Amino acid sequence: MKTVLITVIVVFYSFRLSGQTLYALKIDGKIRSEAVDITAKYQPRLVMGTEQALEFQGTIAKFLVKKKAIENDDSLSPMAKYELFKQLSSKETMDMADVLESYRLREYIRIKPQIQPILKPTREQQDIWAATSEAH
């Protein structure tokens, strides 16, 4: 029984690590640089310590990887991408609850729309996508 429990724990832990490793591998220099820039914009308002800022930056980078995947998916309409970006932003905010204290989290939520806006697609963008997708 003890062996089974240990095996289950090891398997679960290895899946968790492999998921984290996948994002670490996809975080290239450009994404890392963008995460540093975004963190720098929040820092004057959140006043995080070095360790917390690095954890914040890592969380931002993880979500930038996901955002880039959505941006690069040509099968998604502009409106579908917008909806996925909103969901991704909500998940990022939820994950920040593990990084930031409650008072910093409230400030993060308050200023996030200015620092990381989610732009709704224009009608023109939607029409262009519809026309090109119908042509294929």
Side-chain angles (χ1 to χ4, degrees):
M1 182 67 177
K2 207 176 190 182
T3 311
V4 173
L5 182 60
I6 291 172
T7 304
V8 169
I9 290 171
V10 168
V11 168
F12 175 77
Y13 188 70
S14 65
F15 280 129
R16 186 172 175 166
L17 282 180
S18 67
Q20 291 172 349
T21 305
L22 177 64
Y23 286 113
L25 292 173
K26 290 185 176 184
I27 298 174
D28 61 14
K30 186 176 179 182
I31 287 178
R32 194 172 312 281
S33 177
E34 191 175 344
V36 167
D37 292 344
I38 290 170
T39 302
K41 291 176 183 175
Y42 281 104
Q43 183 61 356
R45 302 297 289 277
L46 301 181
V47 193
M48 298 174 281
T50 305
E51 190 174 312
Q52 188 177 37
L54 286 173
E55 193 174 346
F56 183 94
Q57 180 182 317
T59 302
I60 293 287
K62 181 175 84 170
F63 282 93
L64 286 174
V65 169
K66 294 176 182 182
K67 182 181 177 192
K68 298 293 181 206
I70 294 168
E71 286 173 350
N72 294 334
D73 189 342
D74 294 332
S75 69
L76 296 171
S77 70
M79 199 61 187
K81 287 181 182 184
Y82 171 72
E83 291 300 325
L84 287 172
F85 288 149
K86 286 190 334 186
Q87 291 174 15
L88 190 62
S89 180
S90 292
K91 177 71 173 111
E92 180 185 59
T93 300
M94 288 178 6
D95 281 10
M96 284 302 180
D98 294 334
V99 176
L100 302 170
E101 300 88 347
S102 61
Y103 66 96
R104 284 190 173 110
L105 182 63
R106 283 191 301 274
E107 181 64 6
Y108 165 78
I109 291 168
R110 193 179 75 70
I111 62 177
K112 186 176 180 180
Q114 288 83 42
I115 296 175
Q116 294 175 276
I118 302 171
L119 303 177
K120 191 169 185 173
T122 65
R123 184 73 188 150
E124 183 177 290
Q125 288 171 319
Q126 293 177 50
D127 291 343
I128 291 170
W129 187 87
T132 57
S133 65
E134 288 174 5
H136 294 220

